[in-house]
Amino acid sequence: GRWRNGKELNARRLAERGWRLVDASKQTIKCDSCGFYLNTALPDVASVDLIVYNRCLREVHESVDTCHEKTCTAKSRRPNFFTHLNEKSELSDELRSRLETMKEMKMPEGIEITEDGIETKDLLEIFPDESIDITMKKLAITGWEKHDYSSVRCCLCLRTLSLTCSFTPSSSHHSWCPFLDPHDPLDIPQWRVAYDTVVHKKTSLSDSLSIVRRSLNSSLITSTNC
Ligand SMILES: [Zn+2]
Ligand SMILES: [Zn+2]
């Protein structure tokens, strides 16, 4: 089922507070830390007064923070999605297990995956198996894994992309996706930091600036998936 309130409630904020969708039809979420349930159902915006609707929305927003057991740790936690960023071997394992899900997939004819700044020789160093489609390797690096035979999904923001038109994988995440979180001090996105770590790149300041400039340019002409 589809979670109808996904637009009104920021999925990342819910995840940071420990919530997970358990029943899409009833719009129910559950805190994994304390086990409390929360119903996020909102009235149909077209059939109630906007004031009523906004009050309901505000109540749900507040409950995301407060509707936990008194001692629940999820209430104040700020999770780190990238605790292992300096562990090269763990990172490699993670990238390889993402690629493993896609190893049977083939890019349809005419579909192009463009990702500036990822070099073929680096991809071969991380993923030596030459029988796997190189575009799948680019997708794995930028956070994507198999969803079904013709689409991929981000393991953190859960956006799905169908492989029916060309796109730039790193600019196709939801804007709040943790993979795009800037990493100090050079504002490099987290997926890129992982890539640099695995290929032992000593990123110089000028390289990084040109990467940032390139990704700025490509985000201005962001590809929209059809
Ligand atoms: Zn809780
Ligand atoms: Zn994402």
Side-chain angles (χ1 to χ4, degrees):
R2 213 184 130 75
W3 190 31
R4 292 187 301 275
N5 292 345
K7 273 202 179 69
E8 279 83 359
L9 295 166
N10 180 322
R12 175 164 184 178
R13 185 167 160 261
L14 293 184
E16 285 183 349
R17 288 287 164 267
W19 299 102
R20 183 168 56 84
L21 183 66
V22 287
D23 186 336
S25 64
K26 295 190 182 122
Q27 310 286 296
T28 306
I29 57 178
K30 181 186 180 187
C31 173
D32 275 334
S33 299
C34 66
F36 275 30
Y37 288 87
L38 176 64
N39 188 322
T40 66
L42 293 167
D44 180 7
V45 68
S47 64
V48 296
D49 196 290
L50 198 58
I51 296 172
V52 175
Y53 180 84
N54 281 334
R55 197 179 60 223
C56 293
L57 184 59
R58 196 167 55 236
E59 275 169 17
V60 170
H61 270 286
E62 283 169 10
S63 303
V64 166
D65 290 331
T66 57
C67 182
H68 291 269
E69 201 182 341
K70 221 188 285 172
T71 55
C72 178
T73 51
K75 271 198 298 193
S76 55
R77 141 182 98 187
R78 181 151 173 71
N80 183 352
F81 292 98
F82 302 95
T83 46
H84 52 288
L85 257 182
N86 294 316
E87 298 295 326
K88 188 180 163 174
S89 63
E90 273 181 55
L91 269 177
S92 303
D93 289 349
E94 191 179 303
L95 291 173
R96 286 190 192 120
S97 69
R98 271 209 300 267
L99 183 67
E100 186 69 20
T101 68
M102 296 187 285
K103 69 176 181 198
E104 308 288 320
M105 297 176 79
K106 286 272 173 289
M107 224 48 202
E109 206 65 41
I111 304 297
E112 265 189 71
I113 298 298
T114 41
E115 190 62 66
D116 277 349
I118 292 184
E119 287 168 44
T120 307
K121 69 168 173 51
D122 293 338
L123 288 176
L124 281 172
E125 187 190 324
I126 306 169
F127 311 117
D129 187 344
E130 292 191 40
S131 68
I132 302 177
D133 195 329
I134 194 125
T135 52
M136 296 307 156
K137 297 179 179 179
K138 290 183 191 170
L139 288 169
I141 293 279
T142 47
W144 302 90
E145 60 190 18
K146 180 180 176 175
H147 179 54
D148 60 33
Y149 68 96
S150 64
S151 66
V152 292
R153 180 166 75 164
C154 168
C155 54
L156 290 181
C157 71
L158 302 186
R159 180 144 193 217
T160 53
L161 294 174
S162 69
L163 304 178
T164 50
C165 56
S166 306
F167 61 94
T168 304
S170 67
S171 22
S172 300
H173 292 274
H174 284 297
S175 58
W176 48 264
C177 180
F179 276 121
L180 304 182
D181 283 357
H183 183 77
D184 295 336
L186 292 166
D187 269 10
I188 300 171
Q190 294 285 0
W191 72 264
R192 176 91 215 176
V193 177
Y195 167 73
D196 288 352
T197 305
V198 170
V199 295
H200 257 325
K201 271 226 166 70
K202 290 249 193 312
T203 316
S204 73
L205 184 64
S206 67
D207 281 353
S208 305
L209 287 177
S210 83
I211 290 163
V212 171
R213 257 197 306 274
R214 271 205 303 273
S215 61
L216 262 179
N217 284 338
S218 70
S219 67
L220 291 176
I221 46 165
T222 295
S223 58
T224 43
N225 191 48
C226 51

